[in-house]
Amino acid sequence: KKIYTPHFNVVSVTQKGRALRSRVWNNYQKIIALTEYAKKNFISEGVKKEKISILPLPIDYKLYSKMSGGRKFRRKFGIGSKEDFVLVVGIRTGKNIPTIVSACKKAGVKCVLIGPLSKSHVIPGQEFLIPGQETLSLKDENIIFTGKLSQKDLFGALDSATIFANSSEHTFECFS
């Protein structure tokens, strides 16, 4: 059986490309959508409704609905209480960090980058989590590298961020 689980599902915006994409998707026995909105998008792109099932990403709502520590995080990293900032968690190569930093600079907001900065911050075999030189060489007063954070500090960052950006070279659905 062929089952399609989307992470990146834009092949083309041209009419010909969209028709090809719809034909390819309809050859799968099942399409897994992450949300009702995604299901509607698949249907609008010509996928047969009966082929689509919704399987949301598992999230521990009890844990993540109790975010706190935002004021402490802001104080620790010198961010004003009313100052907007973009938060990026996971800054490894392929996350397009220089692009996000550039956008933040144009918007005049700080960019807080969370993730390991050296081999000493990761266990062996996870060196791919360390950002490349294109990210580590970024220097600007509005860029804050936090390094690896404790769970408590991470929750503080999530609690206080204006925008959370989960960037990827494989998808554009990244801001919340």
Side-chain angles (χ1 to χ4, degrees), residues 10-140:
V10 175
V11 175
S12 176
V13 294
T14 67
Q15 186 175 2
K16 192 176 184 179
R18 290 175 74 196
L20 174 62
R21 178 176 59 211
S22 176
R23 201 164 91 205
V24 167
W25 282 340
N26 277 306
N27 279 314
Y28 285 91
Q29 277 84 19
K30 194 57 95 174
I31 301 285
I32 303 297
L34 302 177
T35 63
E36 187 65 40
Y37 177 80
K39 179 179 179 178
K40 288 177 185 175
N41 282 337
F42 279 117
I43 293 167
S44 74
E45 291 294 324
V47 176
K48 295 172 188 155
K49 185 178 180 178
E50 61 274 6
K51 288 186 174 262
I52 305 168
S53 293
I54 297 176
L55 182 63
L57 294 174
I59 295 175
D60 185 341
Y61 287 104
K62 190 175 180 182
L63 177 67
Y64 284 95
S65 65
K66 295 180 181 177
M67 293 290 156
S68 64
R71 284 193 294 258
K72 184 178 177 184
F73 178 85
R74 284 175 174 270
R75 274 194 310 273
K76 183 176 182 175
F77 290 98
I79 302 169
S81 63
K82 302 220 185 271
E83 193 173 5
D84 291 331
F85 74 92
V86 173
L87 176 68
V88 182
V89 178
I91 56 175
R92 68 182 181 274
T93 300
K95 290 290 197 170
N96 297 318
I97 302 305
T99 302
I100 292 176
V101 167
S102 176
C104 289
K105 189 172 185 171
K106 286 179 184 177
V109 297
K110 287 190 184 275
C111 187
V112 177
L113 304 171
I114 297 176
L117 300 174
S118 69
K119 284 185 178 184
S120 66
H121 294 149
V122 297
I123 60 174
Q126 292 191 341
E127 290 83 3
F128 68 92
L129 295 172
I130 301 167
Q133 201 53 40
E134 75 283 352
T135 295
L136 293 173
S137 65
L138 294 168
K139 304 285 183 232
D140 188 274

Side-chain angles (χ1 to χ4, degrees), residues 68-69 72 149-157:
S68 64
K72 184 178 177 184
L149 294 179
S150 68
Q151 183 176 352
K152 188 175 182 178
D153 284 343
L154 175 60
F155 281 5

